[in-house]
Amino acid sequence: MVEQTIDVDAPLRNVYNQWTQFEEFPNFMEGVEDIRQIDDRHSHWRTKIAGVRREFDTEIVDQLPDERIAWRTTGGDVRQKGVVTFLPLDPEHTRVRLAMEMEPEGMAEKAGDALGFLDRRVKGDLKRFKSFIEDHGHETGQWRGRIRPSDGATPAGTSSGELPRDLRDSGPADGTTGQPSSRPAPESWDLPPEPGEPGIR
C-alpha cells in the first residue's frame, strides 16, 4: 500500500468537486492519456507508463461528497485499488490523502515498484493536482452524488445495469463521477476499512 498526503490551498468543497472530474485527470496524473466517463460509477482509462500502453476499466465502490472516493479496477491490463479522502484544515485549506495498491504486471514494473516508483508517482500526482486547482482558483466541474458499496452491485455472471435514477440525477447534467465495468473484484482486493469505519472507505 502506497500512501501520500498533501495540503491544498483551497476550500474542501472545491477540492472534492475537482477530484470528481475524472476526465481532467490527464492534466495532472503521470502517464494517464485519456479517461472516458461511462456513467456515474464507471470509467475507461488509457495510460502510457515507462513506454507501456495499457487500457483498463475502473469502478467507484464508495463515494461520499466532501469526504472520500474509493475505486478498483474491474477489467483490462491493470490491477489496482485505492481511496482518496478529504479533510478540511480550515475554511480555505484541505488535506488530501491518497492511498493505492497496484499489482505490477511486467518485470520492469516489478523492479520499479520495488524502488518506490509507485510512491513517487502518487506523490507527483498529488503535487500536480495541488498546482492544478490552486492555479485555476476554482474547480472545473462537480458531481455531488452519493455512491455506496452496495449500489449497482453486479452478481457474477450477470451484466451491469444503470444506477438508480436518484443517483444518476443527483448531479449537474455535465457532471461526472465514475469508473467502469462492474465485474466484482476478488475478495482479496477489497479495501481495508478506515479507522472507526466499517467496510470499504
Side-chain angles (χ1 to χ4, degrees):
M1 172 78 75
V2 167
E3 181 179 321
Q4 291 289 341
T5 300
I6 198 165
D7 294 344
V8 179
D9 298 338
L12 170 65
R13 185 181 180 95
N14 298 39
V15 173
Y16 172 84
N17 286 347
Q18 185 60 61
W19 200 280
T20 68
Q21 303 304 290
F22 302 117
E23 292 180 351
E24 297 278 4
F25 280 11
N27 290 315
F28 57 83
M29 284 196 171
E30 180 183 358
V32 177
E33 294 190 326
D34 180 69
I35 298 177
R36 179 170 55 87
Q37 191 86 32
I38 295 173
D39 58 29
D40 291 338
R41 180 181 286 268
H42 303 108
S43 302
H44 182 77
W45 293 52
R46 289 194 300 109
T47 65
K48 183 179 180 182
I49 297 173
V52 179
R53 292 186 183 275
R54 290 204 168 94
E55 294 193 33
F56 56 94
D57 295 331
T58 59
E59 175 184 32
I60 297 279
V61 293
D62 189 15
Q63 180 163 344
L64 180 61
D66 296 334
E67 188 169 320
R68 66 181 179 268
I69 302 173
W71 75 94
R72 62 186 174 190
T73 55
T74 59
D77 303 326
V78 173
R79 297 260 295 161
Q80 70 171 227
K81 62 180 179 181
V83 59
V84 58
T85 55
F86 307 87
L87 177 69
L89 299 176
D90 60 40
E92 298 300 325
H93 299 86
T94 305
R95 178 161 294 161
V96 180
R97 171 184 169 269
L98 178 59
M100 281 184 61
E101 272 188 55
M102 184 170 69
E103 185 176 291
E105 295 292 325
M107 291 301 293
E109 281 187 355
K110 290 177 181 177
D113 189 58
L115 295 172
F117 179 60
L118 179 59
D119 186 67
R120 290 192 297 273
R121 274 184 50 208
V122 169
K123 182 182 291 187
D125 288 346
L126 284 179
K127 286 182 177 179
R128 286 184 291 273
F129 172 74
K130 171 183 169 72
S131 296
F132 181 83
I133 190 164
E134 289 178 0
D135 290 348
H136 276 74
H138 57 82
E139 66 268 46
T140 61
Q142 65 173 342
W143 190 82
R144 307 281 306 171
R146 173 72 166 112
I147 294 178
R148 298 172 178 81
S150 60
D151 292 337
T154 305
T158 65
S159 60
S160 62
E162 289 187 309
L163 289 174
R165 180 173 296 277
D166 62 335
L167 285 178
R168 287 186 283 116
D169 293 346
S170 56
D174 66 343
T176 54
T177 301
Q179 285 175 286
S181 183
S182 51
R183 177 169 58 85
E187 289 185 6
S188 62
W189 274 74
D190 286 344
L191 287 169
E194 289 284 322
E197 284 285 335
I200 296 175
R201 282 297 301 271

